[in-house]
Amino acid sequence: MLLARPPDLAPRAPWPDMPLVVWPAALAMWGPGDASSRHAHHAMHLLLRREGTLTFRAGTTKVDSRAAGVLVGPDVPHAIDATGGEVILLFVEPESQDGERLRASLDSPARLFDEAARDALLARLPRKGPIAHEAIGPWMEATLEALAGPTEVPAPRMHPRVRKLLRHLRAEPAPEDTSLEALSEVAGLSSGRLMHAFTESTGVPLRPYLLWLRLQRAAGALASGRTAGEAAHAAGFSDAAHLTRTFRRMFGTTPSFLQRRSQFVQAKARPTDAS
């Protein structure tokens, strides 16, 4: 999995003045491909190899699939090997409007794209060489529209009080008190009702989702130049080792990989409301 410093959101600055960033509704990244170990994270993501094919392994299966690209649903265990070529990634938060429409379009945990489908999705971008930063915004719009399900998503899953809580959790600066009691007060629900409504709305329990947000903030800190220890402390992890274990489980790679590779990868955020 590729990660990068989002220049729209987190220009490089010395710590500790640099704010931690929670990624937006959609975020595109592009650069050299690599291999990830088996992992799962809450964001949906599209990965397209600009030329050639990649290998994809879903769940616990030992069978690798070859494809030119893949769209992976939220919280789906998987591994991808795209070494030896350039890739473009599009991360989408499942609870955003874009995410709800993408989920409606998926009838399986992951969707594979052959080379013809990949070429159609990348038609707005050059096949080789550098990608102009200003070309990514229109590409994101067109790609999300091409992949999305119906404009009117039937039976929305998001509880309005959960949506309110998500806005609170993703605000800057991050809320200091994330105890169940404090979050229940923000949502205006009892603790038991909040836990039930949150899982029903997002597909994951509240505590794993909070860990996902902390990991996003740590990734933003790492890509902005902080050390693993600084990022761990700032995002609420006990130490760098705790961050590394969590990073590998959710992203299939290590914080040091992000630190080494971020200078070779560019990113652009989609300026839409995530909730």
Side-chain angles (χ1 to χ4, degrees), residues 42-54:
H42 191 56
M44 302 182 70
H45 73 284
L46 171 73
L47 189 150
L48 301 171
R49 182 155 172 165
R50 294 175 68 188
E51 290 190 307
T53 59
L54 52 83

Side-chain angles (χ1 to χ4, degrees), residues 166-222:
L166 288 176
R167 287 195 295 268
H168 171 74
L169 291 173
R170 299 179 70 83
E172 294 295 341
E176 294 184 4
D177 189 351
T178 57
S179 66
L180 181 57
E181 293 76 14
L183 298 184
S184 297
E185 183 174 349
V186 170
L189 296 171
S190 67
S191 297
R193 178 57 184 153
L194 173 60
M195 289 191 293
H196 176 78
F198 194 94
T199 303
E200 190 176 62
S201 293
T202 66
V204 292
L206 176 59
R207 286 300 162 193
Y209 189 90
L210 292 174
L211 180 61
W212 164 241
L213 290 186
R214 286 167 53 207
L215 194 64
Q216 287 187 30
R217 294 180 186 276
L222 288 164

Side-chain angles (χ1 to χ4, degrees), residues 42-245:
H42 191 56
M44 302 182 70
H45 73 284
L46 171 73
L47 189 150
L48 301 171
R49 182 155 172 165
R50 294 175 68 188
E51 290 190 307
T53 59
L54 52 83
T55 59
F56 173 75
R57 179 177 294 183
T60 58
T61 178
K62 295 183 179 180
V63 178
D64 289 337
S65 299
R66 294 206 67 85
V70 61
L71 173 64
V72 186
D75 306 299
V76 175
H78 65 281
I80 298 176
D81 187 346
T83 52
E86 294 285 317
V87 300
I88 183 163
L89 253 84
L90 179 59
F91 290 94
V92 182
E93 286 299 308
E95 289 75 45
S96 68
Q97 293 179 358
D98 290 327
E100 288 182 352
R101 292 185 63 194
L102 277 185
R103 283 192 291 174
S105 74
L106 278 177
D107 55 10
S108 61
R111 175 183 172 185
L112 300 178
F113 298 90
D114 60 20
E115 292 185 75
R118 180 271 316 279
D119 291 347
L121 290 173
L122 293 180
R124 291 172 172 261
L125 301 176
R127 290 294 302 273
K128 297 180 180 180
I131 298 176
H133 195 265
E134 59 270 18
I136 291 295
W139 175 80
M140 292 171 71
E141 296 280 350
T143 300
L144 288 166
E145 187 62 31
L147 295 177
T151 303
E152 296 296 331
V153 179
R157 298 169 54 192
M158 182 64 63
H159 192 292
R161 299 297 181 89
V162 173
R163 193 175 294 280
K164 176 185 176 182
L165 179 60
L166 288 176
R167 287 195 295 268
H168 171 74
L169 291 173
R170 299 179 70 83
E172 294 295 341
E176 294 184 4
D177 189 351
T178 57
S179 66
L180 181 57
E181 293 76 14
L183 298 184
S184 297
E185 183 174 349
V186 170
L189 296 171
S190 67
S191 297
R193 178 57 184 153
L194 173 60
M195 289 191 293
H196 176 78
F198 194 94
T199 303
E200 190 176 62
S201 293
T202 66
V204 292
L206 176 59
R207 286 300 162 193
Y209 189 90
L210 292 174
L211 180 61
W212 164 241
L213 290 186
R214 286 167 53 207
L215 194 64
Q216 287 187 30
R217 294 180 186 276
L222 288 164
S224 299
R226 301 189 195 183
T227 67
E230 290 167 345
H233 175 74
F237 290 91
S238 57
D239 52 30
H242 183 201
L243 172 60
T244 297
R245 290 193 301 271

